[in-house]
Amino acid sequence: MTPLSSSRARCDTCHRPLAGCWCACVRRVLNPVPVLLLQHPQELRQVKNTAGLLHRCLAHVRVEVGERLQAPASTDGMALLYPSTAADPDLPSPRAWPPPGGVQTLVVIDATWRKSRRMLHLNPWLAALPRLSLVATPPSRYAIRRVRGDDQRSTLEACALALAQLEGDDSRYLPLWEAMDAFVTLQQRLLREGRAGRDAGESTSG
């Protein structure tokens, strides 16, 4: 992840100011199905983005940043975590589910809904991957960032649900939910402290 520019002391690992360091939120998880995380460049600047935390938590994960991405030599065994786009005639139809031989790599897009759709249009190989859609999802815990609808999830939440769904094992990914809760609590505390600091400044000014 690219460090944010600031004169404040920063953590050498997460590159956040020390007061906002989220390294203590990390919970390590051994995921049998590797994850390929495709991150839109604008998400790098989002302090509430959960992809960096997910990257630190999962044992088998690779991150590629970009809007237009180079197609891999082979997409065999890849599956894309994404809802149906059957209503969009400009996108290629996804290959049949499940992939022959099972899912060997779960591809996850880290972007807003609108930008993720653009990434599908710019990368036909991505849009053509077999699709994994989430089923019976619990309410989102992502209370720190506005989402498009009730079915929207943070990248960490969506990935945790997808991996558990693929393996039929919720218990393995409980640490990811612990990491998510700790991250949300941290961000909420920072927001409260920031507001308190601004209020104190206003009360002593003038």
PDB file of all heavy atoms in Angstrom, residues 16-54:
ATOM      1  N   ARG A  16      -0.086   4.143   8.408  1.00  0.00           N
ATOM      2  CA  ARG A  16      -1.014   5.100   8.971  1.00  0.00           C
ATOM      3  C   ARG A  16      -0.322   5.878  10.085  1.00  0.00           C
ATOM      4  O   ARG A  16       0.646   5.405  10.680  1.00  0.00           O
ATOM      5  CB  ARG A  16      -2.240   4.363   9.553  1.00  0.00           C
ATOM      6  CG  ARG A  16      -3.124   3.712   8.502  1.00  0.00           C
ATOM      7  CD  ARG A  16      -3.857   4.747   7.702  1.00  0.00           C
ATOM      8  NE  ARG A  16      -4.704   5.559   8.576  1.00  0.00           N
ATOM      9  CZ  ARG A  16      -5.040   6.813   8.307  1.00  0.00           C
ATOM     10  NH1 ARG A  16      -4.599   7.407   7.215  1.00  0.00           N
ATOM     11  NH2 ARG A  16      -5.804   7.488   9.140  1.00  0.00           N
ATOM     12  N   PRO A  17      -0.817   7.110  10.411  1.00  0.00           N
ATOM     13  CA  PRO A  17      -0.316   7.786  11.607  1.00  0.00           C
ATOM     14  C   PRO A  17      -0.440   6.855  12.809  1.00  0.00           C
ATOM     15  O   PRO A  17      -1.382   6.055  12.891  1.00  0.00           O
ATOM     16  CB  PRO A  17      -1.253   8.998  11.732  1.00  0.00           C
ATOM     17  CG  PRO A  17      -1.710   9.261  10.332  1.00  0.00           C
ATOM     18  CD  PRO A  17      -1.834   7.911   9.686  1.00  0.00           C
ATOM     19  N   LEU A  18       0.504   6.937  13.726  1.00  0.00           N
ATOM     20  CA  LEU A  18       0.543   5.987  14.838  1.00  0.00           C
ATOM     21  C   LEU A  18      -0.763   5.946  15.620  1.00  0.00           C
ATOM     22  O   LEU A  18      -1.176   4.889  16.094  1.00  0.00           O
ATOM     23  CB  LEU A  18       1.706   6.322  15.766  1.00  0.00           C
ATOM     24  CG  LEU A  18       3.109   6.123  15.168  1.00  0.00           C
ATOM     25  CD1 LEU A  18       4.184   6.486  16.178  1.00  0.00           C
ATOM     26  CD2 LEU A  18       3.287   4.679  14.695  1.00  0.00           C
ATOM     27  N   ALA A  19      -1.430   7.092  15.744  1.00  0.00           N
ATOM     28  CA  ALA A  19      -2.700   7.118  16.471  1.00  0.00           C
ATOM     29  C   ALA A  19      -3.778   6.298  15.758  1.00  0.00           C
ATOM     30  O   ALA A  19      -4.716   5.817  16.387  1.00  0.00           O
ATOM     31  CB  ALA A  19      -3.178   8.550  16.642  1.00  0.00           C
ATOM     32  N   GLY A  20      -3.636   6.145  14.438  1.00  0.00           N
ATOM     33  CA  GLY A  20      -4.623   5.397  13.660  1.00  0.00           C
ATOM     34  C   GLY A  20      -4.100   4.077  13.141  1.00  0.00           C
ATOM     35  O   GLY A  20      -4.717   3.480  12.252  1.00  0.00           O
ATOM     36  N   CYS A  21      -2.983   3.592  13.683  1.00  0.00           N
ATOM     37  CA  CYS A  21      -2.410   2.315  13.242  1.00  0.00           C
ATOM     38  C   CYS A  21      -3.403   1.181  13.478  1.00  0.00           C
ATOM     39  O   CYS A  21      -3.961   1.051  14.571  1.00  0.00           O
ATOM     40  CB  CYS A  21      -1.112   2.053  14.005  1.00  0.00           C
ATOM     41  SG  CYS A  21      -0.447   0.386  13.776  1.00  0.00           S
ATOM     42  N   TRP A  22      -3.630   0.360  12.444  1.00  0.00           N
ATOM     43  CA  TRP A  22      -4.583  -0.735  12.594  1.00  0.00           C
ATOM     44  C   TRP A  22      -3.915  -2.105  12.640  1.00  0.00           C
ATOM     45  O   TRP A  22      -4.580  -3.142  12.510  1.00  0.00           O
ATOM     46  CB  TRP A  22      -5.655  -0.696  11.506  1.00  0.00           C
ATOM     47  CG  TRP A  22      -5.202  -0.532  10.082  1.00  0.00           C
ATOM     48  CD1 TRP A  22      -5.299   0.597   9.330  1.00  0.00           C
ATOM     49  CD2 TRP A  22      -4.608  -1.523   9.213  1.00  0.00           C
ATOM     50  NE1 TRP A  22      -4.806   0.384   8.054  1.00  0.00           N
ATOM     51  CE2 TRP A  22      -4.372  -0.914   7.967  1.00  0.00           C
ATOM     52  CE3 TRP A  22      -4.252  -2.850   9.382  1.00  0.00           C
ATOM     53  CZ2 TRP A  22      -3.798  -1.595   6.891  1.00  0.00           C
ATOM     54  CZ3 TRP A  22      -3.669  -3.537   8.311  1.00  0.00           C
ATOM     55  CH2 TRP A  22      -3.454  -2.897   7.077  1.00  0.00           C
ATOM     56  N   CYS A  23      -2.602  -2.137  12.888  1.00  0.00           N
ATOM     57  CA  CYS A  23      -1.887  -3.422  12.912  1.00  0.00           C
ATOM     58  C   CYS A  23      -2.425  -4.355  13.997  1.00  0.00           C
ATOM     59  O   CYS A  23      -2.400  -5.576  13.833  1.00  0.00           O
ATOM     60  CB  CYS A  23      -0.394  -3.188  13.101  1.00  0.00           C
ATOM     61  SG  CYS A  23       0.390  -2.417  11.654  1.00  0.00           S
ATOM     62  N   ALA A  24      -2.910  -3.786  15.113  1.00  0.00           N
ATOM     63  CA  ALA A  24      -3.453  -4.621  16.184  1.00  0.00           C
ATOM     64  C   ALA A  24      -4.760  -5.293  15.780  1.00  0.00           C
ATOM     65  O   ALA A  24      -5.221  -6.215  16.472  1.00  0.00           O
ATOM     66  CB  ALA A  24      -3.658  -3.780  17.437  1.00  0.00           C
ATOM     67  N   CYS A  25      -5.365  -4.858  14.686  1.00  0.00           N
ATOM     68  CA  CYS A  25      -6.612  -5.460  14.213  1.00  0.00           C
ATOM     69  C   CYS A  25      -6.371  -6.748  13.426  1.00  0.00           C
ATOM     70  O   CYS A  25      -7.320  -7.510  13.177  1.00  0.00           O
ATOM     71  CB  CYS A  25      -7.380  -4.479  13.321  1.00  0.00           C
ATOM     72  SG  CYS A  25      -7.791  -2.903  14.097  1.00  0.00           S
ATOM     73  N   VAL A  26      -5.145  -6.989  13.001  1.00  0.00           N
ATOM     74  CA  VAL A  26      -4.840  -8.113  12.123  1.00  0.00           C
ATOM     75  C   VAL A  26      -5.060  -9.442  12.845  1.00  0.00           C
ATOM     76  O   VAL A  26      -4.613  -9.629  13.984  1.00  0.00           O
ATOM     77  CB  VAL A  26      -3.390  -8.025  11.607  1.00  0.00           C
ATOM     78  CG1 VAL A  26      -3.021  -9.288  10.811  1.00  0.00           C
ATOM     79  CG2 VAL A  26      -3.207  -6.778  10.754  1.00  0.00           C
ATOM     80  N   ARG A  27      -5.762 -10.364  12.171  1.00  0.00           N
ATOM     81  CA  ARG A  27      -5.941 -11.733  12.640  1.00  0.00           C
ATOM     82  C   ARG A  27      -5.554 -12.652  11.486  1.00  0.00           C
ATOM     83  O   ARG A  27      -6.171 -12.607  10.433  1.00  0.00           O
ATOM     84  CB  ARG A  27      -7.390 -12.002  13.056  1.00  0.00           C
ATOM     85  CG  ARG A  27      -7.973 -11.007  14.049  1.00  0.00           C
ATOM     86  CD  ARG A  27      -7.384 -11.173  15.436  1.00  0.00           C
ATOM     87  NE  ARG A  27      -8.110 -10.376  16.411  1.00  0.00           N
ATOM     88  CZ  ARG A  27      -7.840  -9.090  16.683  1.00  0.00           C
ATOM     89  NH1 ARG A  27      -6.864  -8.464  16.022  1.00  0.00           N
ATOM     90  NH2 ARG A  27      -8.542  -8.427  17.590  1.00  0.00           N
ATOM     91  N   ARG A  28      -4.574 -13.486  11.676  1.00  0.00           N
ATOM     92  CA  ARG A  28      -4.084 -14.324  10.585  1.00  0.00           C
ATOM     93  C   ARG A  28      -4.991 -15.522  10.343  1.00  0.00           C
ATOM     94  O   ARG A  28      -5.462 -16.173  11.278  1.00  0.00           O
ATOM     95  CB  ARG A  28      -2.674 -14.814  10.901  1.00  0.00           C
ATOM     96  CG  ARG A  28      -1.634 -13.705  10.933  1.00  0.00           C
ATOM     97  CD  ARG A  28      -1.384 -13.138   9.543  1.00  0.00           C
ATOM     98  NE  ARG A  28      -0.674 -14.078   8.699  1.00  0.00           N
ATOM     99  CZ  ARG A  28      -0.481 -13.912   7.396  1.00  0.00           C
ATOM    100  NH1 ARG A  28      -0.986 -12.846   6.789  1.00  0.00           N
ATOM    101  NH2 ARG A  28       0.187 -14.799   6.694  1.00  0.00           N
ATOM    102  N   VAL A  29      -5.253 -15.820   9.070  1.00  0.00           N
ATOM    103  CA  VAL A  29      -6.120 -16.929   8.671  1.00  0.00           C
ATOM    104  C   VAL A  29      -5.449 -17.686   7.527  1.00  0.00           C
ATOM    105  O   VAL A  29      -4.988 -17.081   6.556  1.00  0.00           O
ATOM    106  CB  VAL A  29      -7.502 -16.420   8.199  1.00  0.00           C
ATOM    107  CG1 VAL A  29      -8.361 -17.579   7.721  1.00  0.00           C
ATOM    108  CG2 VAL A  29      -8.207 -15.670   9.319  1.00  0.00           C
ATOM    109  N   LEU A  30      -5.412 -19.001   7.647  1.00  0.00           N
ATOM    110  CA  LEU A  30      -4.880 -19.848   6.585  1.00  0.00           C
ATOM    111  C   LEU A  30      -6.028 -20.214   5.652  1.00  0.00           C
ATOM    112  O   LEU A  30      -6.881 -21.037   5.998  1.00  0.00           O
ATOM    113  CB  LEU A  30      -4.247 -21.110   7.180  1.00  0.00           C
ATOM    114  CG  LEU A  30      -3.658 -22.107   6.176  1.00  0.00           C
ATOM    115  CD1 LEU A  30      -2.532 -21.458   5.379  1.00  0.00           C
ATOM    116  CD2 LEU A  30      -3.158 -23.356   6.891  1.00  0.00           C
ATOM    117  N   ASN A  31      -6.071 -19.588   4.485  1.00  0.00           N
ATOM    118  CA  ASN A  31      -7.149 -19.839   3.524  1.00  0.00           C
ATOM    119  C   ASN A  31      -6.699 -20.838   2.475  1.00  0.00           C
ATOM    120  O   ASN A  31      -5.769 -20.569   1.700  1.00  0.00           O
ATOM    121  CB  ASN A  31      -7.603 -18.534   2.860  1.00  0.00           C
ATOM    122  CG  ASN A  31      -6.466 -17.741   2.250  1.00  0.00           C
ATOM    123  OD1 ASN A  31      -5.464 -17.458   2.906  1.00  0.00           O
ATOM    124  ND2 ASN A  31      -6.613 -17.358   0.985  1.00  0.00           N
ATOM    125  N   PRO A  32      -7.327 -22.017   2.394  1.00  0.00           N
ATOM    126  CA  PRO A  32      -6.944 -23.019   1.388  1.00  0.00           C
ATOM    127  C   PRO A  32      -7.122 -22.529  -0.045  1.00  0.00           C
ATOM    128  O   PRO A  32      -6.348 -22.888  -0.928  1.00  0.00           O
ATOM    129  CB  PRO A  32      -7.860 -24.204   1.696  1.00  0.00           C
ATOM    130  CG  PRO A  32      -8.242 -24.029   3.132  1.00  0.00           C
ATOM    131  CD  PRO A  32      -8.336 -22.541   3.326  1.00  0.00           C
ATOM    132  N   VAL A  33      -8.165 -21.733  -0.296  1.00  0.00           N
ATOM    133  CA  VAL A  33      -8.396 -21.180  -1.640  1.00  0.00           C
ATOM    134  C   VAL A  33      -7.703 -19.825  -1.720  1.00  0.00           C
ATOM    135  O   VAL A  33      -8.095 -18.882  -1.023  1.00  0.00           O
ATOM    136  CB  VAL A  33      -9.901 -21.027  -1.933  1.00  0.00           C
ATOM    137  CG1 VAL A  33     -10.101 -20.391  -3.306  1.00  0.00           C
ATOM    138  CG2 VAL A  33     -10.606 -22.369  -1.855  1.00  0.00           C
ATOM    139  N   PRO A  34      -6.680 -19.684  -2.546  1.00  0.00           N
ATOM    140  CA  PRO A  34      -5.996 -18.390  -2.670  1.00  0.00           C
ATOM    141  C   PRO A  34      -6.927 -17.314  -3.214  1.00  0.00           C
ATOM    142  O   PRO A  34      -7.878 -17.593  -3.950  1.00  0.00           O
ATOM    143  CB  PRO A  34      -4.856 -18.685  -3.658  1.00  0.00           C
ATOM    144  CG  PRO A  34      -4.681 -20.160  -3.640  1.00  0.00           C
ATOM    145  CD  PRO A  34      -6.047 -20.722  -3.369  1.00  0.00           C
ATOM    146  N   VAL A  35      -6.621 -16.077  -2.855  1.00  0.00           N
ATOM    147  CA  VAL A  35      -7.416 -14.927  -3.283  1.00  0.00           C
ATOM    148  C   VAL A  35      -6.557 -14.003  -4.145  1.00  0.00           C
ATOM    149  O   VAL A  35      -5.416 -13.707  -3.790  1.00  0.00           O
ATOM    150  CB  VAL A  35      -7.962 -14.149  -2.068  1.00  0.00           C
ATOM    151  CG1 VAL A  35      -8.604 -12.826  -2.502  1.00  0.00           C
ATOM    152  CG2 VAL A  35      -8.968 -14.999  -1.295  1.00  0.00           C
ATOM    153  N   LEU A  36      -7.112 -13.584  -5.275  1.00  0.00           N
ATOM    154  CA  LEU A  36      -6.513 -12.545  -6.108  1.00  0.00           C
ATOM    155  C   LEU A  36      -7.360 -11.300  -5.929  1.00  0.00           C
ATOM    156  O   LEU A  36      -8.528 -11.263  -6.333  1.00  0.00           O
ATOM    157  CB  LEU A  36      -6.478 -12.962  -7.580  1.00  0.00           C
ATOM    158  CG  LEU A  36      -6.026 -11.894  -8.576  1.00  0.00           C
ATOM    159  CD1 LEU A  36      -4.618 -11.389  -8.259  1.00  0.00           C
ATOM    160  CD2 LEU A  36      -6.096 -12.421 -10.006  1.00  0.00           C
ATOM    161  N   LEU A  37      -6.794 -10.287  -5.302  1.00  0.00           N
ATOM    162  CA  LEU A  37      -7.510  -9.064  -4.974  1.00  0.00           C
ATOM    163  C   LEU A  37      -7.161  -7.993  -6.007  1.00  0.00           C
ATOM    164  O   LEU A  37      -6.015  -7.572  -6.112  1.00  0.00           O
ATOM    165  CB  LEU A  37      -7.124  -8.602  -3.572  1.00  0.00           C
ATOM    166  CG  LEU A  37      -7.883  -7.439  -2.950  1.00  0.00           C
ATOM    167  CD1 LEU A  37      -9.366  -7.756  -2.846  1.00  0.00           C
ATOM    168  CD2 LEU A  37      -7.317  -7.132  -1.571  1.00  0.00           C
ATOM    169  N   LEU A  38      -8.145  -7.569  -6.783  1.00  0.00           N
ATOM    170  CA  LEU A  38      -7.954  -6.554  -7.823  1.00  0.00           C
ATOM    171  C   LEU A  38      -8.473  -5.229  -7.283  1.00  0.00           C
ATOM    172  O   LEU A  38      -9.679  -5.035  -7.129  1.00  0.00           O
ATOM    173  CB  LEU A  38      -8.704  -6.951  -9.093  1.00  0.00           C
ATOM    174  CG  LEU A  38      -8.356  -8.341  -9.663  1.00  0.00           C
ATOM    175  CD1 LEU A  38      -9.173  -8.613 -10.924  1.00  0.00           C
ATOM    176  CD2 LEU A  38      -6.864  -8.461  -9.954  1.00  0.00           C
ATOM    177  N   GLN A  39      -7.554  -4.311  -7.018  1.00  0.00           N
ATOM    178  CA  GLN A  39      -7.904  -3.074  -6.327  1.00  0.00           C
ATOM    179  C   GLN A  39      -7.890  -1.882  -7.286  1.00  0.00           C
ATOM    180  O   GLN A  39      -6.906  -1.652  -7.990  1.00  0.00           O
ATOM    181  CB  GLN A  39      -6.940  -2.822  -5.176  1.00  0.00           C
ATOM    182  CG  GLN A  39      -7.327  -1.641  -4.297  1.00  0.00           C
ATOM    183  CD  GLN A  39      -6.459  -1.536  -3.067  1.00  0.00           C
ATOM    184  OE1 GLN A  39      -5.239  -1.641  -3.153  1.00  0.00           O
ATOM    185  NE2 GLN A  39      -7.069  -1.323  -1.907  1.00  0.00           N
ATOM    186  N   HIS A  40      -8.993  -1.148  -7.296  1.00  0.00           N
ATOM    187  CA  HIS A  40      -9.041   0.091  -8.065  1.00  0.00           C
ATOM    188  C   HIS A  40      -8.072   1.091  -7.438  1.00  0.00           C
ATOM    189  O   HIS A  40      -8.003   1.204  -6.199  1.00  0.00           O
ATOM    190  CB  HIS A  40     -10.452   0.663  -8.084  1.00  0.00           C
ATOM    191  CG  HIS A  40     -10.635   1.767  -9.068  1.00  0.00           C
ATOM    192  ND1 HIS A  40     -10.227   3.070  -8.808  1.00  0.00           N
ATOM    193  CD2 HIS A  40     -11.164   1.778 -10.317  1.00  0.00           C
ATOM    194  CE1 HIS A  40     -10.508   3.819  -9.852  1.00  0.00           C
ATOM    195  NE2 HIS A  40     -11.075   3.069 -10.783  1.00  0.00           N
ATOM    196  N   PRO A  41      -7.301   1.843  -8.241  1.00  0.00           N
ATOM    197  CA  PRO A  41      -6.294   2.763  -7.680  1.00  0.00           C
ATOM    198  C   PRO A  41      -6.856   3.760  -6.684  1.00  0.00           C
ATOM    199  O   PRO A  41      -6.172   4.126  -5.719  1.00  0.00           O
ATOM    200  CB  PRO A  41      -5.733   3.475  -8.919  1.00  0.00           C
ATOM    201  CG  PRO A  41      -5.964   2.515 -10.042  1.00  0.00           C
ATOM    202  CD  PRO A  41      -7.241   1.808  -9.714  1.00  0.00           C
ATOM    203  N   GLN A  42      -8.094   4.207  -6.865  1.00  0.00           N
ATOM    204  CA  GLN A  42      -8.648   5.200  -5.948  1.00  0.00           C
ATOM    205  C   GLN A  42      -8.891   4.646  -4.548  1.00  0.00           C
ATOM    206  O   GLN A  42      -8.969   5.408  -3.582  1.00  0.00           O
ATOM    207  CB  GLN A  42      -9.941   5.781  -6.529  1.00  0.00           C
ATOM    208  CG  GLN A  42      -9.709   6.656  -7.744  1.00  0.00           C
ATOM    209  CD  GLN A  42     -10.969   7.345  -8.225  1.00  0.00           C
ATOM    210  OE1 GLN A  42     -12.037   7.227  -7.621  1.00  0.00           O
ATOM    211  NE2 GLN A  42     -10.860   8.064  -9.333  1.00  0.00           N
ATOM    212  N   GLU A  43      -8.995   3.320  -4.431  1.00  0.00           N
ATOM    213  CA  GLU A  43      -9.200   2.730  -3.107  1.00  0.00           C
ATOM    214  C   GLU A  43      -7.958   2.838  -2.235  1.00  0.00           C
ATOM    215  O   GLU A  43      -8.046   2.731  -1.011  1.00  0.00           O
ATOM    216  CB  GLU A  43      -9.637   1.274  -3.238  1.00  0.00           C
ATOM    217  CG  GLU A  43     -11.031   1.093  -3.784  1.00  0.00           C
ATOM    218  CD  GLU A  43     -12.100   1.746  -2.913  1.00  0.00           C
ATOM    219  OE1 GLU A  43     -12.047   1.591  -1.672  1.00  0.00           O
ATOM    220  OE2 GLU A  43     -12.984   2.428  -3.467  1.00  0.00           O
ATOM    221  N   LEU A  44      -6.804   3.047  -2.849  1.00  0.00           N
ATOM    222  CA  LEU A  44      -5.568   3.184  -2.068  1.00  0.00           C
ATOM    223  C   LEU A  44      -5.626   4.380  -1.137  1.00  0.00           C
ATOM    224  O   LEU A  44      -4.965   4.403  -0.092  1.00  0.00           O
ATOM    225  CB  LEU A  44      -4.366   3.322  -3.012  1.00  0.00           C
ATOM    226  CG  LEU A  44      -3.920   2.068  -3.750  1.00  0.00           C
ATOM    227  CD1 LEU A  44      -2.866   2.429  -4.798  1.00  0.00           C
ATOM    228  CD2 LEU A  44      -3.375   1.026  -2.789  1.00  0.00           C
ATOM    229  N   ARG A  45      -6.391   5.394  -1.498  1.00  0.00           N
ATOM    230  CA  ARG A  45      -6.456   6.626  -0.711  1.00  0.00           C
ATOM    231  C   ARG A  45      -7.583   6.618   0.323  1.00  0.00           C
ATOM    232  O   ARG A  45      -7.749   7.588   1.054  1.00  0.00           O
ATOM    233  CB  ARG A  45      -6.623   7.830  -1.649  1.00  0.00           C
ATOM    234  CG  ARG A  45      -5.484   8.000  -2.640  1.00  0.00           C
ATOM    235  CD  ARG A  45      -5.549   9.360  -3.317  1.00  0.00           C
ATOM    236  NE  ARG A  45      -6.715   9.491  -4.167  1.00  0.00           N
ATOM    237  CZ  ARG A  45      -6.744   9.160  -5.458  1.00  0.00           C
ATOM    238  NH1 ARG A  45      -5.669   8.657  -6.028  1.00  0.00           N
ATOM    239  NH2 ARG A  45      -7.846   9.337  -6.171  1.00  0.00           N
ATOM    240  N   GLN A  46      -8.342   5.540   0.370  1.00  0.00           N
ATOM    241  CA  GLN A  46      -9.471   5.465   1.296  1.00  0.00           C
ATOM    242  C   GLN A  46      -9.017   4.889   2.638  1.00  0.00           C
ATOM    243  O   GLN A  46      -8.668   3.711   2.727  1.00  0.00           O
ATOM    244  CB  GLN A  46     -10.583   4.593   0.703  1.00  0.00           C
ATOM    245  CG  GLN A  46     -11.216   5.148  -0.555  1.00  0.00           C
ATOM    246  CD  GLN A  46     -12.067   6.379  -0.272  1.00  0.00           C
ATOM    247  OE1 GLN A  46     -12.430   6.667   0.869  1.00  0.00           O
ATOM    248  NE2 GLN A  46     -12.396   7.108  -1.324  1.00  0.00           N
ATOM    249  N   VAL A  47      -9.010   5.723   3.676  1.00  0.00           N
ATOM    250  CA  VAL A  47      -8.510   5.261   4.973  1.00  0.00           C
ATOM    251  C   VAL A  47      -9.437   4.214   5.599  1.00  0.00           C
ATOM    252  O   VAL A  47      -8.999   3.451   6.467  1.00  0.00           O
ATOM    253  CB  VAL A  47      -8.323   6.444   5.948  1.00  0.00           C
ATOM    254  CG1 VAL A  47      -7.287   7.406   5.437  1.00  0.00           C
ATOM    255  CG2 VAL A  47      -9.647   7.166   6.211  1.00  0.00           C
ATOM    256  N   LYS A  48     -10.692   4.176   5.175  1.00  0.00           N
ATOM    257  CA  LYS A  48     -11.635   3.203   5.722  1.00  0.00           C
ATOM    258  C   LYS A  48     -11.720   1.939   4.878  1.00  0.00           C
ATOM    259  O   LYS A  48     -12.543   1.065   5.144  1.00  0.00           O
ATOM    260  CB  LYS A  48     -13.025   3.836   5.847  1.00  0.00           C
ATOM    261  CG  LYS A  48     -13.061   5.038   6.789  1.00  0.00           C
ATOM    262  CD  LYS A  48     -14.409   5.707   6.769  1.00  0.00           C
ATOM    263  CE  LYS A  48     -14.418   6.974   7.626  1.00  0.00           C
ATOM    264  NZ  LYS A  48     -15.711   7.686   7.559  1.00  0.00           N
ATOM    265  N   ASN A  49     -10.875   1.829   3.885  1.00  0.00           N
ATOM    266  CA  ASN A  49     -10.863   0.656   3.021  1.00  0.00           C
ATOM    267  C   ASN A  49     -10.365  -0.560   3.790  1.00  0.00           C
ATOM    268  O   ASN A  49      -9.397  -0.474   4.549  1.00  0.00           O
ATOM    269  CB  ASN A  49      -9.968   0.926   1.809  1.00  0.00           C
ATOM    270  CG  ASN A  49      -9.914  -0.239   0.853  1.00  0.00           C
ATOM    271  OD1 ASN A  49      -9.180  -1.182   1.071  1.00  0.00           O
ATOM    272  ND2 ASN A  49     -10.674  -0.173  -0.212  1.00  0.00           N
ATOM    273  N   THR A  50     -11.002  -1.711   3.600  1.00  0.00           N
ATOM    274  CA  THR A  50     -10.654  -2.922   4.348  1.00  0.00           C
ATOM    275  C   THR A  50      -9.726  -3.859   3.587  1.00  0.00           C
ATOM    276  O   THR A  50      -9.316  -4.889   4.127  1.00  0.00           O
ATOM    277  CB  THR A  50     -11.923  -3.704   4.717  1.00  0.00           C
ATOM    278  OG1 THR A  50     -12.603  -4.122   3.518  1.00  0.00           O
ATOM    279  CG2 THR A  50     -12.862  -2.856   5.568  1.00  0.00           C
ATOM    280  N   ALA A  51      -9.368  -3.520   2.342  1.00  0.00           N
ATOM    281  CA  ALA A  51      -8.545  -4.430   1.544  1.00  0.00           C
ATOM    282  C   ALA A  51      -7.152  -4.617   2.141  1.00  0.00           C
ATOM    283  O   ALA A  51      -6.594  -5.718   2.108  1.00  0.00           O
ATOM    284  CB  ALA A  51      -8.434  -3.924   0.111  1.00  0.00           C
ATOM    285  N   GLY A  52      -6.566  -3.538   2.667  1.00  0.00           N
ATOM    286  CA  GLY A  52      -5.243  -3.655   3.268  1.00  0.00           C
ATOM    287  C   GLY A  52      -5.253  -4.592   4.461  1.00  0.00           C
ATOM    288  O   GLY A  52      -4.340  -5.400   4.654  1.00  0.00           O
ATOM    289  N   LEU A  53      -6.294  -4.499   5.266  1.00  0.00           N
ATOM    290  CA  LEU A  53      -6.431  -5.387   6.415  1.00  0.00           C
ATOM    291  C   LEU A  53      -6.622  -6.827   5.951  1.00  0.00           C
ATOM    292  O   LEU A  53      -6.013  -7.760   6.502  1.00  0.00           O
ATOM    293  CB  LEU A  53      -7.614  -4.935   7.275  1.00  0.00           C
ATOM    294  CG  LEU A  53      -7.928  -5.763   8.515  1.00  0.00           C
ATOM    295  CD1 LEU A  53      -6.739  -5.805   9.466  1.00  0.00           C
ATOM    296  CD2 LEU A  53      -9.166  -5.223   9.225  1.00  0.00           C
ATOM    297  N   LEU A  54      -7.462  -7.031   4.947  1.00  0.00           N
ATOM    298  CA  LEU A  54      -7.668  -8.374   4.394  1.00  0.00           C
ATOM    299  C   LEU A  54      -6.355  -8.959   3.889  1.00  0.00           C
ATOM    300  O   LEU A  54      -6.049 -10.133   4.117  1.00  0.00           O
ATOM    301  CB  LEU A  54      -8.694  -8.310   3.265  1.00  0.00           C
ATOM    302  CG  LEU A  54      -9.009  -9.624   2.561  1.00  0.00           C
ATOM    303  CD1 LEU A  54      -9.694 -10.595   3.518  1.00  0.00           C
ATOM    304  CD2 LEU A  54      -9.891  -9.374   1.335  1.00  0.00           C
TER     305      LEU A  54
END
